Structure formats: C-alpha cells, structure tokens
C-alpha cells in the first residue's frame, strides 16, 4: 500500500518537490532518495511543496535535518511551503521554524531564491 | 460515556509497513468516542512515534517480532499501551533534543520521545518480566 508520493519539477534554477500523502518512517526513504538525487545532480536550490502532505512524523522531519547543512554549505537551501496547520504544528513542536525557511506558498520561496 | 470502558486491541508485526494501519486503528477508536480532529491527529502521531521506536530500538528492525497495542477509554481518559518483548528503553537517559546540535551532528532520531511527551498528558514506561510497556494517556 502506497500512501505517499513524490514528484520533482524544475522552475528556472529551482527544483521543486511535490510531496503528497503521509510521511512516516516507512515512506521517509522516498523523500530521502529524491533529495539525494537532486543534490547529486548539483541542484541545491530546493523547494518542498507540502500542499498535498496530510501527515508527518519525526522520521520525515529527520530527512530534512540530515540534508540541510550540506545543501546550505553548497550555497543552496531547502525551503518548505504550503503546509497545512496540522503538519506545521509538528514542525513547530520541534523548533523547525527558527532554523528552516517555512513559507506560505511556492511563489514566495521562488522569490526568496532570487534575492 | 462516563463509567463505561471501551478497550480494543491490535497485534502487528514490528514493521514500518504497518504504521498506517496502527495510526488508523487508534484514530478509529478516538473518532468513535467523539474526540476532536486536533486530539485525533495528536494521538495518531504519538502512537506512530512509539511504534517506530519499538521497531527501531527495541527490536532493531526485526520484522518477525510482535507488538501488542491496546487502546481504551472511559469518560475521563483515553490511554494507549504498546507492549513489546525487546530491549527496554530507559527514559532517565533521555534528554530534550537540541535541534541545531542534531543537525550539525547529522543525527536525525531521538525526537519521537519528546513529541510523545508534548502530545500526551502522561507517559509511563513499565517493564514486567520480559515485557516492556509504554502507556500514554490523554485527559478527555
């Protein structure tokens, strides 16, 4: 049973991951593989659009923790957008908003990469 | 209803592929007793974190092991117990995660226990014989 899916698209120089469904210790490896591929292909400006994300557990947050330093040290960032309130609350409980760029929508994230 | 107790149990293999089923099992009970969507999503996350910790730490990813889950409620509390027969967890060695430090050290775990404590009103760890139990309570 697949309850998570991920798709990658490119807008100008920014790679956008659309994640959908439920991100937990079972599905986190799919996100991890997608992030790894982007980094291997030297795409360091990354937006993760969470508009289809219904649920996240700490295993999902762990993936973002594992790659953020590398991406930033290479001059890029991983920005998160379009979270629903329940998903945002989990990020918030663990203190992510002070360390990650969590934005209302994708356009804002694209603009912030331009600056 | 006050005074009546509802208890349901589920036994699953210790594998992350059953995470969705475990979450749905507790959510169904919580819905049945009329909890609001926020409480239901907190209970889903707490049981996910507890079950994931058993899979990874108590059973070291051995999918042949079993986890027993019990959810019950009366008029005042909802409780969820997860029982395993793996390595026990010592909560006294546990510290609140420092996110910045973990990112720097590329450590990605250790947040589940913290989340469970934030999401539930009481958390107890018990060991009886070979059985470990984590019991999580939400006041209604």
């Amino acid at each position: 049973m697949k309850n998570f899916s991920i798709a990658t698209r490119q807008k100008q120089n920014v790679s956008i991951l659309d994640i959908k469904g439920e991100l937990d210790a079972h599905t986190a490896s799919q996100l991890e593989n997608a992030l790894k591929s982007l980094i291997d292909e030297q795409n360091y400006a990354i937006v993760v659009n969470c508009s289809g994300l219904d649920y996240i557990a700490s295993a999902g947050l762990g993936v973002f923790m594992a790659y953020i330093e590398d991406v930033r040290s290479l001059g890029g960032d991983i920005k998160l957008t379009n979270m629903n309130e329940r998903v945002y609350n989990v990020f918030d409980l663990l203190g992510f908003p002070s360390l990650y760029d969590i934005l209302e929508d994708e356009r804002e994230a694209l603009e912030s990469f331009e600056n | 209803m006050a005074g009546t107790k509802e208890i349901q149990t589920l036994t699953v293999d210790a594998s992350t592929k059953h995470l969705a089923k475990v979450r749905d099992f507790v959510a169904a009970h919580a819905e049945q007793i009329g909890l609001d969507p926020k409480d239901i999503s907190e209970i889903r996350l707490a049981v996910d974190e507890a079950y994931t910790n058993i899979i990874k730490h108590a059973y070291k990813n051995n999918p042949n092991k079993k986890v027993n889950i019990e959810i019950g409620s009366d008029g005042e509390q909802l409780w969820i117990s997860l029982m395993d027969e793996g390595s026990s967890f010592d909560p006294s060695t546990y510290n609140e995660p420092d996110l910045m430090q973990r990112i720097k050290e590329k450590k990605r775990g250790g947040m589940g226990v913290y989340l469970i404590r934030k999401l539930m009103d009481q958390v107890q760890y018990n060991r009886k014989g070979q059985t470990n139990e984590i019991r999580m309570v939400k006041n209604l």
Side-chain angles (χ1 to χ4, degrees), chain B residues 1 17-18 21 24 34 44 64 71 89 99 107 111 114 125:
Chain B
M1 267 177 277
K17 70 180 178 196
H18 299 306
K21 179 172 153 185
D24 290 346
R44 280 169 68 89
N64 299 319
I71 183 165
F89 170 69
L99 187 61
K107 279 188 189 161
M111 296 179 296
Y114 176 74
Y125 296 89

Side-chain angles (χ1 to χ4, degrees), chain B residues 86-137:
Chain B
S87 317
S88 61
F89 170 69
D90 177 3
S92 67
T93 61
Y94 164 80
N95 292 312
E96 194 172 309
D98 177 336
L99 187 61
M100 178 81 95
Q101 194 62 31
R102 279 171 193 270
I103 288 171
K104 291 219 177 306
E105 293 170 2
K106 296 199 173 14
K107 279 188 189 161
R108 59 173 84 184
M111 296 179 296
V113 175
Y114 176 74
L115 271 181
I116 292 168
R117 288 187 181 173
K118 285 271 188 182
L119 298 166
M120 303 298 279
D121 294 305
Q122 289 172 46
V123 184
Q124 287 174 350
Y125 296 89
N126 305 307
R127 186 161 173 98
K128 287 178 203 147
Q130 294 301 303
T131 305
N132 304 302
E133 177 190 25
I134 174 174
R135 184 179 168 88
M136 308 181 286
V137 176

